[in-house]
């Protein structure tokens, strides 16, 4: 069974600074996807970025980028130039051969002005 | 594109009562998912449909839970004889399944969730 671990329950960062959110996972599958989802307070969960395991190049989406280390089973999210609107719960998720996504417990990020 | 719509957004019910949640997916999305999220946890998969067929159910979905998607469009999730442990947010999501590579690579879009409080 797949597991996803987010060991940092909460972080804060000053506006305009850079922050890195960590995630590790465990799987025996070789082909899979990894995702970061953002869940703002009382809002729906939205996809921030995703990484295909067979692609060596790290995914980037504007201010968001990942550091994917397949051998180490590590998948961290870097947010550059943090904005107040980045305040949210962030969930790391695994998607393999099964249809379901497996989520970590989440991390609460607060961006301070 | 109006997004995934869920209602009611909040429901408070007494233990033992039945509740039903509705989900309207993004139009033309053939897959629909239900997840459950409790405080301090990430979402947990409950079940999913492709069109009207329910293709997978988690062991979390006890006999008191039933989900339907009768015409392949909206879906309902009914919980019978609610218990306090059912208190959670029930998330619906949808995707357009494209048969290339892993289906988990298809982006899924979540609704805002339906909060259930059982007292």
């Amino acid at each position: 069974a797949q597991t996803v671990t987010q060991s940092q329950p909460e972080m804060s960062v000053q506006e305009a600074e850079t922050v890195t959110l960590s995630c590790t996972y465990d799987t025996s599958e070789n082909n899979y996807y990894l995702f970061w989802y953002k869940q703002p307070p009382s809002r729906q969960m939205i996809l921030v970025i995703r990484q295909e395991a067979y692609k060596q190049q790290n995914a980037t989406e504007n201010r968001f980028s990942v550091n994917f280390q397949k051998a180490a089973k590590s998948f961290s999210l870097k947010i550059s130039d943090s904005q107040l609107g980045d305040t949210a719960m962030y969930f790391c998720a695994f998607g393999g051969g099964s249809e379901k996504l497996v989520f970590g417990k989440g991390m609460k990020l607060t961006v301070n002005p | 594109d109006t997004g995934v719509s869920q209602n009611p957004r909040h429901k408070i019910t007494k233990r033992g009562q039945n509740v039903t949640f509705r989900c309207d997916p993004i139009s033309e999305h053939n897959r629909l998912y239900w997840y459950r999220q409790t405080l301090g946890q990430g979402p947990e998969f409950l079940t999913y449909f492709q069109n009207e067929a329910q293709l997978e159910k988690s062991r979390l979905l006890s006999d008191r839970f039933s989900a339907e998607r009768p015409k392949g469009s909206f879906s309902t999730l009914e919980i019978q004889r609610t218990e306090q442990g059912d208190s959670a947010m029930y998330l619906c999501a949808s995707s357009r399944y494209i048969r290339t590579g892993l289906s988990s690579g298809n982006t899924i879009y979540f609704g805002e969730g339906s909060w259930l409080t059982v007292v």
Side-chain angles (χ1 to χ4, degrees):
Chain A
Q2 291 79 22
T3 59
V4 176
T5 302
Q6 295 179 252
S7 56
Q8 306 154 301
E10 193 165 351
M11 292 182 74
S12 62
V13 65
Q14 292 300 121
E15 197 174 6
E17 292 186 346
T18 295
V19 62
T20 299
L21 287 60
S22 64
C23 172
T24 58
Y25 61 95
D26 191 24
T27 183
S28 58
E29 297 185 35
N30 196 45
N31 194 16
Y32 49 87
Y33 286 86
L34 294 164
F35 307 86
W36 279 99
Y37 278 88
K38 169 185 176 182
Q39 189 176 41
S42 302
R43 301 283 301 278
Q44 71 261 49
M45 192 172 302
I46 58 174
L47 179 65
V48 174
I49 195 167
R50 71 177 190 181
Q51 174 78 40
E52 299 167 78
Y54 61 86
K55 287 191 175 180
Q56 292 185 339
Q57 187 173 7
N58 288 324
T60 62
E61 287 287 343
N62 301 314
R63 299 183 294 108
F64 300 89
S65 62
V66 300
N67 182 5
F68 174 48
Q69 302 290 327
K70 190 173 183 179
K73 295 180 180 174
S74 169
F75 182 60
S76 61
L77 174 70
K78 185 172 81 170
I79 306 174
S80 304
D81 186 26
S82 298
Q83 300 176 359
L84 296 179
D86 295 333
T87 293
M89 288 290 296
Y90 285 82
F91 293 93
C92 179
F94 173 97
S98 163
E99 189 58 34
K100 67 181 183 182
L101 294 182
V102 177
F103 287 84
K105 288 187 175 183
M107 194 219 70
K108 181 179 180 181
L109 176 67
T110 302
V111 180
N112 299 309
Chain B
D1 180 358
T2 57
V4 178
S5 175
Q6 294 188 244
N7 66 82
R9 292 291 317 282
H10 301 273
K11 179 73 176 179
I12 300 174
T13 190
K14 291 184 178 179
R15 189 174 53 186
Q17 298 294 307
N18 299 344
V19 296
T20 299
F21 298 111
R22 175 179 170 127
C23 172
D24 288 272
I26 294 171
S27 59
E28 299 181 356
H29 276 193
N30 52 3
R31 286 202 168 172
L32 186 147
Y33 310 81
W34 286 99
Y35 282 78
R36 181 172 69 185
Q37 185 178 13
T38 54
L39 286 174
Q41 301 294 322
E44 295 174 292
F45 173 82
L46 292 178
T47 187
Y48 88 95
F49 295 82
Q50 178 158 320
N51 300 315
E52 66 276 8
Q54 188 173 20
L55 298 185
E56 186 176 348
K57 293 196 302 183
S58 162
R59 57 181 172 79
L60 293 175
L61 215 64
S62 75
D63 291 344
R64 297 183 297 104
F65 288 71
S66 63
E68 295 182 344
R69 194 183 183 197
K71 298 182 180 179
S73 56
F74 73 92
S75 174
T76 57
L77 176 68
E78 181 184 17
I79 308 173
Q80 296 182 328
R81 305 182 303 282
T82 52
E83 301 173 356
Q84 287 187 322
D86 297 331
S87 295
M89 181 164 66
Y90 291 85
L91 289 166
C92 180
S94 70
S95 71
R96 184 180 174 204
Y97 173 56
I98 300 172
R99 193 181 298 180
T100 55
L102 285 178
S103 59
S104 57
N106 299 148
T107 300
I108 66 173
Y109 298 84
F110 284 88
E112 295 187 359
S114 292
W115 277 103
L116 173 64
T117 301
V118 181
V119 297

